[in-house]
Amino acid sequence: MTSMLPILEELADASDHAARARWLLSVPLAVIIRDQVAIRRLLCAAGFHEGLSYLEAEITALSATRGRDGLAADTVRMTREYARIGIQVIAREGAVEGASNVSN
């Protein structure tokens, strides 16, 4: 048994980058902020560079000073969305590969 929280163990036990991407997209943002050091360590150990980029974009967006409209600067929001799109593509590719393996 490890001292890691069960939600972080899910990331540690992920079998591939697609599973890691799905974890990143589904985990509560509060977990990303709270456990960012452990998440960063797990993503680094897995060599998941796209996941690290997404993590940094989320943390930046969640930590950014907001304008009068309640939103972060356009550059922060766009960086976050581009990173999220990249992770979504990786997550979907894994789902498509898994589906094609099941049908074979």
Side-chain angles (χ1 to χ4, degrees), residues 18-90:
R20 290 179 193 93
R22 287 189 296 276
W23 185 91
L24 285 166
L25 290 169
S26 64
V27 70
L29 294 174
V31 172
I32 287 180
I33 286 290
R34 182 191 68 202
D35 298 319
Q36 61 185 288
V37 173
I39 295 167
R40 187 176 292 110
R41 182 181 52 78
L42 291 168
L43 295 174
C44 280
F48 189 25
H49 304 292
E50 296 88 349
L52 286 165
S53 295
Y54 171 74
L55 177 68
E56 296 306 325
E58 277 293 0
I59 291 167
T60 298
L62 292 167
S63 303
T65 301
R66 297 178 292 156
R68 290 182 180 170
D69 59 0
L71 300 172
D74 288 342
T75 54
V76 172
R77 292 186 356 243
M78 287 191 302
T79 300
R80 180 188 204 182
E81 287 308 309
Y82 284 126
R84 183 176 291 151
I85 290 167
I87 290 298
Q88 289 170 333
V89 168
I90 293 168

